[in-house]
Amino acid sequence: MRNLVPFVKAMKKPPRADAQRNLDSLLEAAKAVFAESGVDAPVREIASRAGVGIATVYRHFPQRAELIAAVYRREIDACAAAAQALAREHEPFEALTRWLHRFTSLIATKRGLAASLNAQDPAYQAVPAYFREHLEPALQSLLGAAAAAGRVRNDVDAYELLRGIGSLCIPVSEVGPGYTRRMVDLLIDGLRYGARAAP
Amino acid sequence: MRNLVPFVKAMKKPPRADAQRNLDSLLEAAKAVFAESGVDAPVREIASRAGVGIATVYRHFPQRAELIAAVYRREIDACAAAAQALAREHEPFEALTRWLHRFTSLIATKRGLAASLNAQDPAYQAVPAYFREHLEPALQSLLGAAAAAGRVRNDVDAYELLRGIGSLCIPVSEVGPGYTRRMVDLLIDGLRYGARAAP
DNA sequence: TCAGTACCGGAACAACGTTCCGTATAACCC
DNA sequence: GGGTTATACGGAACGTTGTTCCGGTACTGA
């Protein structure tokens, strides 16, 4: 039988029951508050909705960005996972555009998420980091496949494209509905301009 | 001789000499502070640099956006004026791209300006308004000429393009130098995709 | 049941935008 | 030049946020 000591050492004690309860209601409250007031909602509002003190929020999430990432983790992971399915079911360019549109609505439908993704404030830095870590590989492969098929140019960096679309998802005043979609499509058409089949 | 009364009535009294002095040092101070700390710099910092009280700032510029617009008014106007010269000296598509790049650097080189251009806070609303009023007509004519020449598609709205580029100018972390330029060029290539000569 | 400690809540501090009001002074008239 | 008035001034004060600190609470394990 293998020596279990290293595993036992690596295991950390489970958190206290009340701490876990608080964490759960915190995530639930944050999700609700983010939905109705945007991700910049005051910490106090999230805390009071969760029925906990302010310090409890900071104890679990020293940086606001970690809370944001935790709330949207599932959706981000699902978006990343969708890339493989799309690649199987569609030809490369179609898969790419469908995924980019999915990514767009992931970001654009959460009020303030796009803005926080692009914020300079160091408290938000973990948000783009989480996005990069999970979504860049997904886009990378779709982009590579479409380029190999000669449907898009091959000189565009996946992460930069991710950030560019993220910027275009920031809501803007005085524009008609569908603005974000039109701009993202324009960027996608830019990908197609000058595409050449691989030699 | 024409009746001068309506004109006299329309003329407003010149401001008090000290008020004008304060306005001047305020603009100068704001320009300096914006350059070194970005356009989000605290009002107190601008006031103290100008040697005036906080209330004086608010008296002249009730909305922060008005101060921003006032500081950059000259550069915005110059950018608008450049459109005509470019249209004279270059063929339509070349004129369009040169102008878009000029617009890009106007925005991207002022720290925080792009972000304030896209902010949702109503206190910043006058910034996009000023940009729209002065720059949309300029872009409109360049875009129309390039579309008429069949060099770019004709289904893109000038104001939306302005806002899209504005969003892409928001600085982003973890990307290499030239990111903004690459994204703007990608958008421009999108304009070219599917262009048809006018019938 | 009881000790020890992990965890809690809210007061407290700092930074900022914004408003208010008593005071100072430039402009005008005589 | 001197007095009067409207204009403009400055900074204190208030409300809202992010963030930290600390005295107290209550869960866990024996």
Side-chain angles (χ1 to χ4, degrees):
Chain A
M1 184 178 175
R2 287 163 61 201
N3 182 2
L4 285 178
V5 172
F7 294 91
V8 173
K9 273 194 174 169
M11 278 165 56
K12 30 183 182 190
K13 246 193 253 192
R16 249 170 62 170
D18 55 346
Q20 183 63 48
R21 253 198 322 274
N22 280 335
L23 180 60
D24 292 343
S25 39
L26 214 42
L27 282 172
E28 193 175 349
K31 189 171 184 177
V33 171
F34 285 174
E36 64 187 50
S37 311
V39 300
D40 311 300
V43 178
R44 281 169 177 78
E45 191 178 336
I46 299 168
S48 91
R49 165 96 67 137
V52 303
I54 306 163
T56 300
V57 182
Y58 281 94
R59 201 168 301 113
H60 288 291
F61 304 100
Q63 305 268 12
R64 168 185 290 262
E66 298 169 32
L67 177 55
I68 298 174
V71 167
Y72 295 121
R73 180 161 298 162
R74 272 187 214 169
E75 296 187 56
I76 295 170
D77 293 348
C79 184
Q84 297 175 22
L86 288 169
R88 271 197 305 276
E89 297 164 16
H90 301 277
E91 54 92 11
F93 179 73
E94 180 72 14
L96 175 63
T97 57
R98 282 178 185 250
W99 189 83
L100 288 177
H101 285 140
R102 172 163 186 165
F103 172 67
T104 301
S105 53
L106 167 64
I107 296 175
T109 55
K110 277 84 190 165
R111 199 184 328 176
L113 180 58
S116 78
L117 202 54
N118 291 70
Q120 291 300 291
D121 188 329
Y124 285 92
Q125 206 156 342
V127 182
Y130 193 87
F131 269 84
R132 175 171 205 172
E133 188 180 340
H134 292 75
L135 298 180
E136 185 185 6
L139 176 54
Q140 188 77 267
S141 69
L142 292 171
L143 201 55
R151 300 295 306 278
V152 304
R153 58 172 65 184
N154 62 5
D155 62 350
V156 175
D157 180 74
Y159 182 60
E160 290 193 354
L161 183 58
L162 227 41
R163 299 304 301 256
I165 292 179
S167 295
L168 289 175
C169 288
I170 296 176
V172 142
S173 57
E174 307 264 319
V175 294
Y179 156 79
T180 295
R181 171 73 185 236
R182 284 190 289 279
M183 287 300 114
V184 170
D185 283 345
L186 199 55
L187 207 60
I188 294 175
D189 284 343
L191 290 175
R192 298 208 268 181
Y193 186 85
R196 294 282 176 274
Chain B
M1 183 177 176
R2 286 162 61 201
N3 181 3
L4 285 178
V5 171
F7 294 93
V8 173
K9 272 191 173 170
M11 279 165 55
K12 31 181 181 191
K13 249 194 249 192
R16 249 168 63 168
D18 56 345
Q20 182 63 49
R21 254 199 321 274
N22 281 335
L23 180 61
D24 292 343
S25 38
L26 214 43
L27 281 173
E28 195 175 347
K31 190 172 184 176
V33 171
F34 285 174
E36 63 187 50
S37 311
V39 301
D40 311 299
V43 177
R44 283 169 174 79
E45 190 179 336
I46 299 169
S48 89
R49 166 95 67 137
V52 304
I54 305 164
T56 300
V57 181
Y58 280 94
R59 200 167 302 112
H60 288 291
F61 304 100
Q63 306 267 13
R64 167 186 289 262
E66 298 169 32
L67 177 55
I68 298 175
V71 166
Y72 295 121
R73 180 162 297 164
R74 272 187 213 168
E75 297 186 55
I76 295 170
D77 293 347
C79 185
Q84 296 175 23
L86 287 170
R88 271 196 307 275
E89 296 164 17
H90 301 278
E91 54 92 11
F93 179 73
E94 179 72 14
L96 175 63
T97 58
R98 282 180 185 248
W99 190 84
L100 288 176
H101 286 139
R102 171 163 186 163
F103 172 68
T104 301
S105 52
L106 166 64
I107 296 174
T109 55
K110 277 86 191 163
R111 199 184 330 175
L113 180 58
S116 79
L117 201 55
N118 291 72
Q120 291 300 291
D121 187 329
Y124 285 93
Q125 206 157 344
V127 181
Y130 193 88
F131 270 85
R132 175 171 205 171
E133 188 179 342
H134 291 76
L135 297 180
E136 187 186 5
L139 176 54
Q140 188 78 266
S141 70
L142 292 171
L143 201 54
R151 299 296 305 278
V152 303
R153 59 170 67 181
N154 63 5
D155 61 351
V156 175
D157 180 73
Y159 182 60
E160 290 193 354
L161 183 57
L162 226 42
R163 299 302 303 257
I165 292 180
S167 296
L168 290 175
C169 287
I170 296 176
V172 143
S173 57
E174 307 265 317
V175 294
Y179 156 79
T180 295
R181 172 71 184 237
R182 285 190 289 279
M183 287 299 115
V184 171
D185 283 344
L186 200 55
L187 207 59
I188 294 175
D189 285 342
L191 290 174
R192 298 207 268 181
Y193 186 84
R196 296 280 176 275

